């Protein structure tokens, strides 16, 4: 009887493993993973295009780096 249980568990394990493999996302040319499709913004100081996620934002303007942000909008001294 224990053997049957063992094989049932084995079959279950194989089934789960199979499902896991099937779920694995296949490497495909997905547009969403294309870095060129990231929303790009241009630096208000130098015009360099940077991904919006990496850009610094101040007064609804984007900057490529802290230096350029300061150059365009100097903080209170
Ligand atoms: Zn810049």
């Amino acid at each position: 009887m224990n053997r049957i249980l063992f094989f049932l568990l084995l079959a279950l394990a194989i089934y789960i493993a199979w499902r896991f493999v099937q779920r694995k996302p296949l490497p495909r040319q997905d547009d969403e993973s294309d870095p060129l499709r990231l929303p790009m913004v241009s630096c208000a100081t130098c015009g360099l295009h940077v991904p919006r996620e990496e850009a610094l934002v101040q007064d609804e303007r984007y900057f490529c780096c802290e230096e350029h942000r300061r150059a365009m909008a100097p903080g209170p001294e």
Side-chain angles (χ1 to χ4, degrees):
M1 203 60 184
N2 276 342
R3 271 175 170 262
I4 294 168
L5 195 64
F6 172 77
F7 279 112
L8 275 175
L9 286 172
L10 189 69
L12 189 67
I14 289 169
Y15 175 73
I16 290 168
W18 177 250
R19 286 290 299 269
F20 184 78
V21 169
Q22 291 286 307
R23 263 201 195 173
K24 243 179 167 180
L26 295 168
R28 52 181 178 173
Q29 301 293 328
D30 204 336
D31 283 344
E32 289 178 12
S33 65
D34 190 346
L36 293 175
R37 283 185 58 112
L38 276 174
M40 300 291 281
V41 295
S42 58
C43 173
T45 302
C46 69
L48 182 76
H49 284 76
V50 291
R52 194 172 63 191
E53 289 177 6
E54 295 177 18
L56 299 167
V57 187
Q58 181 165 323
D59 299 331
E60 295 181 7
R61 285 187 296 185
Y62 297 97
F63 302 92
C64 66
C65 59
E66 179 65 25
E67 193 179 329
H68 285 170
R69 190 186 66 79
R70 286 213 200 103
M72 188 59 80
E77 294 179 11

